[in-house]
Amino acid sequence: MTKEWWKEGVVYQIYPSSFKDSNGDGIGDIPGITSELDYIKSLGVDIIWVSPFYKSPQYDMGYDISDYQDVYEQYGTVEDVDALIQGCHDRGMRIIFDLVVNHTSHLHPWFQESASSKNNPKHDWYIWRPARYINGERHPPCNWRGFFGGSVWEWDDNIGEYYLHLFAKEQPDLNWDNPDVRQAIYNDAMRFWLDKGVDGFRIDTVNMYSKRLDFPDAPVVEPDTPWQPAYDLICNGPRMHEFLREMNYEVLSKYDAMTVGELPHTPDPAHVLGYISASACQLQQVFQMDLVFLDFGERSKYYPRKWALTEFKEALEKWQCFIEGNDGWTTNFLENHDTGRSVSRYGSDDPRFAALSAKMLAVLLTTLTGTTYVYQGQEIGMVNAPKTWPIEEYKDIETLNYYNEVKQITGGDKVALEEVMRGIQLTARDHNRLPFQWNANANAGFTSSAKSWMRVHDNYGVVNATQQSEDPSSVLSFWKSMIRLRKQYSELFVHGSFTICDFENEAVLSYVKEETNKRALVVLNFTDKPQELNLKLVKDMTVLVSNYSGKSMEPVLKPFEGRIYI
Ligand code: TEU
Ligand code: CA
């Protein structure tokens, strides 16, 4: 197993609009991030990943880019980004950016040209198809449902055809089959920033660039609507690996660049290895979604399902072990800007247990094999928005489109809307986009403005970074000590083998990490009740860490207790 900086490094994800506002307009910005680099460094973080800050009309929070080489005005300037890169490097940290190249904004000049005329040289840079006529009525080329609801096709009167958009209609999909498009992406979106010193990319929707150009209809599973989920048809198209090999060969391999691709809807480990095995020369790491989609219901993420701890174990084991004996690498994370808070989803946000379960999950994330990712606010145990907040506090296009669709289909039925609201309270992307809680001052010290772009969580008086920095027993202090421990024992935790014990236990997750000279057992109580410890497992071992004070060897685990035995 080769050692690389992007394997040992702990990554911290920043969502620019919600991290820190430097100029009092209620919106986080780049100088705000730069002003808190010492805070990030103090966590023990090695690599910062910044979600999109590029020029954008913000239909999807910057994942709709209208100029790859410019910065969203509210976030700052290219010079501010230069200073951020420099600030990271000065502190011995690296920084990666989000690369969003499946689609652009509809306001990107490339799309404006593409949509101006069929004769425009850039017309073919996006994906245009004629209508299907059924009984004289105009229909889109196929029945695929977009990630944000509705059809993936939008009619354009001027061209007299539909264009493809897997996400919002303001996010038209680029035509990767056109080699000029690929070269333009490599230059504008990648080399421009790599030459400025960025250390790599988190690559958005990395398995959607190659499309099945025959656009077959997806099977009808939702008879209520004409638009059907088509993940298997949308993801992992025929030229995917070829495109990524080219991107790696022509651009990434020329720099010591880190890559981590977002890889939804790809359940087969052999398939995932095709993207990340070192010899495949495509990506270094991917985000596999089984754990963060665990509570998503059959119908949609907004009708969540109850899951059993054995299902969690199964998914965890699968993606911990799939790199054994090969040259791949794995990632571990429970949160990003598209999820709810891990404490609310896998632990408990009941004030009696919130901090304990945040620490228990920190034990998990810092002892797993692979590169560990922490999302802003996770290190202080931020939780989902209060259940008393009405839909008006939610801002995400995905959430609002879904809510409004339910409203429309049911004619505004109160019971139906209450039901979907319960799902939104658990899995909406909005929860992780609430402003970061810096201190107990107004608006949690996030902004000096009276109003922040999203409402600040009501609990900032008790959950905030300043208070926790001063408290050795806080979630923040615990995260710091766990990241230190991960580095001290990197052979064991970052690289060691992973084996689940006592698999059938639905309350306690236990696993062994092992390297040539050391062996650790991690036991994590996922419930709010005391649980019997399996004494056979801990025979001849001593406690190295516990998320309760002291190093209790008691044969019973307290609620949400996590221990590491060595
Ligand atoms: O997400 C891609 C993706 O697959 C999402 O639809 C994901 O499944 C969903 O958010 C789960 O609820 C990426 C970005 O992470 C997301 O923020 C963007 O909205 C999307 O791409 C479009 O760029
Ligand atoms: Ca600002």
Side-chain angles (χ1 to χ4, degrees), residues 199-227:
D199 299 292
F201 297 105
R202 174 271 187 184
I203 311 184
D204 195 56
T205 55
V206 82
N207 58 348
M208 301 185 198
Y209 309 155
S210 166
K211 322 289 180 196
R212 279 194 59 164
L213 298 170
D214 53 339
F215 296 110
D217 274 334
V220 176
V221 294
E222 292 202 32
D224 280 0
T225 124
W227 316 122

Side-chain angles (χ1 to χ4, degrees), residues 173-348:
D173 278 54
L174 284 160
N175 179 16
W176 271 70
D177 285 270
N178 181 328
D180 295 341
V181 170
R182 303 204 296 275
Q183 289 306 321
I185 289 169
Y186 301 159
N187 274 323
D188 279 35
M190 301 179 73
R191 290 191 187 105
F192 177 79
W193 294 106
L194 287 164
D195 289 337
K196 283 183 168 294
V198 72
D199 299 292
F201 297 105
R202 174 271 187 184
I203 311 184
D204 195 56
T205 55
V206 82
N207 58 348
M208 301 185 198
Y209 309 155
S210 166
K211 322 289 180 196
R212 279 194 59 164
L213 298 170
D214 53 339
F215 296 110
D217 274 334
V220 176
V221 294
E222 292 202 32
D224 280 0
T225 124
W227 316 122
Q228 303 301 318
Y231 303 122
D232 293 341
L233 297 167
I234 286 174
C235 296
N236 306 308
R239 298 182 69 189
M240 234 10 279
H241 295 282
E242 176 197 336
F243 290 159
L244 293 179
R245 265 196 305 273
E246 180 187 273
M247 179 196 262
N248 185 63
Y249 177 73
E250 291 200 19
V251 190
L252 295 164
S253 64
K254 310 279 193 270
Y255 303 78
D256 180 22
M258 165 174 170
T259 51
V260 51
E262 185 201 23
L263 197 76
H265 308 292
T266 311
D268 175 10
H271 193 169
V272 175
L273 269 176
Y275 284 101
I276 49 116
S277 109
S279 53
C281 297
Q282 294 167 42
L283 302 165
Q284 295 161 347
Q285 314 175 22
V286 292
F287 294 128
Q288 207 290 330
M289 304 292 176
D290 283 1
L291 279 183
V292 294
F293 286 4
L294 194 62
D295 56 4
F296 288 11
E298 190 79 28
R299 190 162 153 208
S300 100
K301 63 186 273 190
Y302 301 110
Y303 298 96
R305 56 186 280 272
K306 287 244 180 309
W307 48 274
L309 189 61
T310 43
E311 292 176 285
F312 186 97
K313 293 181 188 184
E314 204 181 321
L316 182 66
E317 181 174 51
K318 181 173 172 188
W319 299 110
Q320 280 288 285
C321 298
F322 88 112
I323 55 165
E324 273 173 19
N326 59 55
D327 60 358
W329 190 240
T330 194
T331 56
N332 49 83
F333 65 100
L334 288 176
E335 290 189 29
N336 60 40
H337 64 292
D338 291 336
T339 68
R341 288 291 178 182
S342 54
V343 169
S344 302
R345 294 172 75 203
Y346 312 94
S348 165

Side-chain angles (χ1 to χ4, degrees), residues 50 66 137 141 190 192 205 279 368 382 469:
V50 193
S66 56
E137 226 181 279
M190 301 179 73
F192 177 79
T205 55
S279 53
L368 292 175
M382 283 179 66
S469 318

Side-chain angles (χ1 to χ4, degrees), residues 21-25 27-29 74:
D21 175 20
S22 73
N23 61 351
D25 64 356
I27 305 170
D29 44 51
Q74 273 83 342

